[in-house]
Amino acid sequence: MSKKLSILAFSLSLSLSLVSAHGNHGSFGALEKRAAATCSKTYTPVAAGSYPAIDCVPFTQDPQVQEWLKLVDFTKTPVYPTSVDGACPPDPSTLPKDRCWWTCQKCEAPDDITSCPTTGTWGVTYDDGPSPDSERLYDTLKAHDQKATLFIVGSRAVSYKATLKRAYDEGHHIAIHTWSHHSMTSLTNEQVVAELKWTEKAIFDVIGVTPLYWRPPFGDVDNRVRDIAKQLGFKTSIWTQGFDTNDWNIPGKTATAQSVVDTFKSWLPKIQGMATGFIVLQHDLFPEEVDVAINGILPVAYETKGLVMQPIAQCLKDGKPYKEGAGTFKLLPDGKNNNSTNDPSKQPKGGAGNALVAGTQTAVIAGVTTFFLAGISGI
């Protein structure tokens, strides 16, 4: 019981600092770590069948991590200094161009996945789950025969195994979002390996397949981190620059549900004139993020004619998004939408506007407390 109480105390404390949990995707000026204040600095081996501490960067001296390190030839990895919590220098122009730091230099490497190839196609993604509210998102997506790419945090995967299994069983594209959701450029080479491989293992232990796609938290990646991920067999997937919904700002009240929907609507007139499709940043960790997705953004999207909504693997025509192959993912023929767009019978009842108002009334601390209370039994 004492262990559960300590976890609850941490969870309540964390809820108070969630306003900066995602930080500023451009500068990280106010970034707070999810569990920095509670992570032990004393190494304890991970017991067989267990995982590292929730939301903490895994220790690299663990025997399992030591085995994983053998998979990477670090002599081939570019050498750049680690960042301080992903923060950019005062003058980013001083950074070497070949570092290609997405956060600070807005640099996209040739292998980065940042858009869908076909104009008018939206690569639908959600980060940071699974959470207790993910079920509501999955219900809405299922009602529209919609699939999405879900970037899974390893710490959430082991806390909400049944929710992750449901997402996979329903055909969503499961991908990696690291173990502890730290900015990757702030980590050592060995820590990068540990973050990716522990998440890979956590997901595999639940769904039985190994994701090939990963997304760096905050989009924080440079050529050092990219090289390590590539050597481990992962494809770096970010989002289209300028297509951040800012839904992660709603819990901290620096954005509203309406402002997020307005941001999404502002993109719609220009998408048909783009040379490619686009990938949008959205989340399903907190209740407010799911509220705006199911009551605001998705209803607007489903009413938008000509908008093709697909998971990233579908828009890239990748029928084998896992190391083992297709898994439950089904690649549709060319030209097929991945949803029931414009089907009025499948629109959410009550109207998007009314639901948006209700969604904004969700209490931040109450919602987050519920999130972590539900997760205690799974830790």
Side-chain angles (χ1 to χ4, degrees):
M1 177 62 69
S2 60
K3 180 178 180 182
K4 290 186 176 181
L5 288 175
S6 65
I7 294 172
L8 175 57
F10 156 61
S11 302
L12 291 172
S13 175
L14 180 59
S15 71
L16 295 174
S17 63
L18 69 86
V19 294
S20 298
H22 269 83
N24 184 313
H25 287 279
S27 66
F28 295 89
L31 178 63
E32 291 183 18
K33 295 306 179 187
R34 293 179 175 229
T38 60
C39 294
S40 174
K41 295 182 179 180
T42 303
Y43 166 63
T44 302
V46 178
S50 297
Y51 303 94
I54 297 297
D55 292 318
C56 296
V57 177
F59 287 100
T60 60
Q61 57 265 55
D62 191 87
Q64 177 64 82
V65 177
Q66 289 296 307
E67 285 299 309
W68 288 329
L69 293 178
K70 297 176 182 178
L71 301 174
V72 180
D73 181 355
F74 290 113
T75 66
K76 298 179 179 179
T77 302
V79 178
Y80 301 110
T82 56
S83 68
V84 179
D85 293 340
C88 301
D91 182 5
S93 67
T94 61
L95 295 168
K97 290 184 178 180
D98 59 1
R99 182 168 184 173
C100 198
W101 190 354
W102 194 86
T103 308
C104 301
Q105 297 171 294
K106 299 302 178 185
C107 177
E108 297 179 10
D111 292 338
D112 285 352
I113 300 168
T114 60
S115 64
C116 290
T118 305
T119 298
T121 301
W122 169 19
V124 183
T125 72
Y126 297 94
D127 292 13
D128 295 355
S131 74
D133 286 274
S134 297
E135 297 272 4
R136 295 191 293 124
L137 175 64
Y138 301 165
D139 289 344
T140 297
L141 296 176
K142 185 177 181 179
H144 291 271
D145 302 320
Q146 176 71 58
K147 302 297 185 289
T149 296
L150 306 175
F151 287 101
I152 303 297
V153 171
S155 292
R156 304 285 76 75
V158 299
S159 299
Y160 299 98
K161 297 179 181 180
T163 307
L164 173 57
K165 185 65 162 56
R166 173 191 168 176
Y168 174 72
D169 288 345
E170 292 183 357
H172 293 291
H173 173 206
I174 306 301
I176 287 172
H177 200 39
T178 76
W179 177 261
S180 68
H181 203 276
H182 278 63
S183 54
M184 294 296 273
T185 64
S186 72
L187 305 181
T188 66
N189 291 350
E190 293 78 13
Q191 288 173 324
V192 170
V193 172
E195 286 275 344
L196 292 171
K197 292 297 287 186
W198 274 119
T199 308
E200 175 192 75
K201 175 174 168 49
I203 292 174
F204 179 86
D205 289 349
V206 175
I207 66 176
V209 294
T210 310
L212 288 174
Y213 293 71
W214 85 288
R215 173 175 282 172
F218 321 106
D220 187 45
V221 67
D222 61 9
N223 276 342
R224 176 179 68 91
V225 176
R226 286 185 184 92
D227 177 80
I228 296 170
K230 187 173 183 178
Q231 288 199 52
L232 292 173
F234 300 122
K235 303 176 182 181
T236 298
S237 313
I238 315 181
W239 59 89
T240 305
Q241 293 191 31
F243 282 77
D244 179 352
T245 62
N246 287 309
D247 62 345
W248 48 275
N249 273 323
I250 300 177
K253 300 187 182 303
T254 55
T256 66
Q258 190 60 58
S259 72
V260 168
V261 173
D262 288 344
T263 294
F264 180 78
K265 287 181 177 179
S266 73
W267 300 330
L268 298 178
K270 65 182 181 182
I271 59 176
Q272 293 301 331
M274 295 172 59
T276 66
F278 58 99
I279 296 172
V280 171
L281 179 65
Q282 292 181 269
H283 304 81
D284 63 322
L285 176 59
F286 295 116
E288 297 86 351
E289 295 167 341
V290 173
D291 287 342
V292 75
I294 65 177
N295 299 320
I297 292 176
L298 287 173
V300 170
Y302 290 138
E303 293 173 356
T304 302
K305 294 183 179 180
L307 179 62
V308 178
M309 301 166 60
Q310 298 177 337
I312 290 177
Q314 174 66 46
C315 82
L316 296 178
K317 299 180 173 59
D318 183 0
K320 297 180 179 180
Y322 306 105
K323 290 184 180 179
E324 296 78 8
T328 60
F329 183 77
K330 296 181 180 179
L331 188 64
L332 300 179
D334 288 348
K336 292 289 185 179
N337 207 342
N338 217 161
N339 60 55
S340 53
T341 300
N342 303 319
D343 182 350
S345 68
K346 293 186 177 181
Q347 298 300 319
K349 296 180 179 180
N354 294 335
L356 273 174
V357 173
T360 59
Q361 295 174 343
T362 303
V364 173
I365 293 178
V368 179
T369 301
T370 301
F371 167 77
F372 283 104
L373 281 171
I376 287 177
S377 61
I379 293 178

